């Protein structure tokens, strides 16, 4: 871990922050898709097991 530095950002720091902002996104669509898929598969499995 680097020491905390509260000063002006250098060009290298700005580029690093832009890169991290561009890749740091939560995959909400994938999470929702997998959750809905799991619920559907579970429902079908329970329905088939009941009959």
């Amino acid at each position: 871990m680097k020491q905390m530095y509260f000063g002006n950002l250098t060009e290298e720091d700005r580029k690093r922050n832009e890169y991290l902002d561009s890749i740091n996104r939560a995959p909400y669509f994938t999470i929702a898709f997998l959750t809905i898929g799991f619920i559907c598969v579970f429902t079908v499995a329970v329905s088939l097991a009941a009959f």
Side-chain angles (χ1 to χ4, degrees):
M1 249 359 237
K2 289 174 110 178
Q3 185 68 19
M4 292 296 290
Y5 174 70
F6 298 102
N8 294 334
L9 294 177
T10 63
E11 190 61 33
E12 180 183 338
D13 292 335
R14 289 182 206 282
K15 286 181 182 179
R16 184 182 306 116
N17 287 343
E18 286 177 16
Y19 171 72
L20 290 174
D21 286 342
S22 69
I23 64 167
N24 191 18
R25 301 285 180 241
Y28 294 118
F29 179 77
T30 304
I31 293 169
F33 184 74
L34 290 175
T35 303
I36 292 170
F38 178 75
I39 291 170
C40 290
V41 168
F42 181 75
T43 303
V44 169
V46 169
S47 297
L48 289 176
F51 295 109

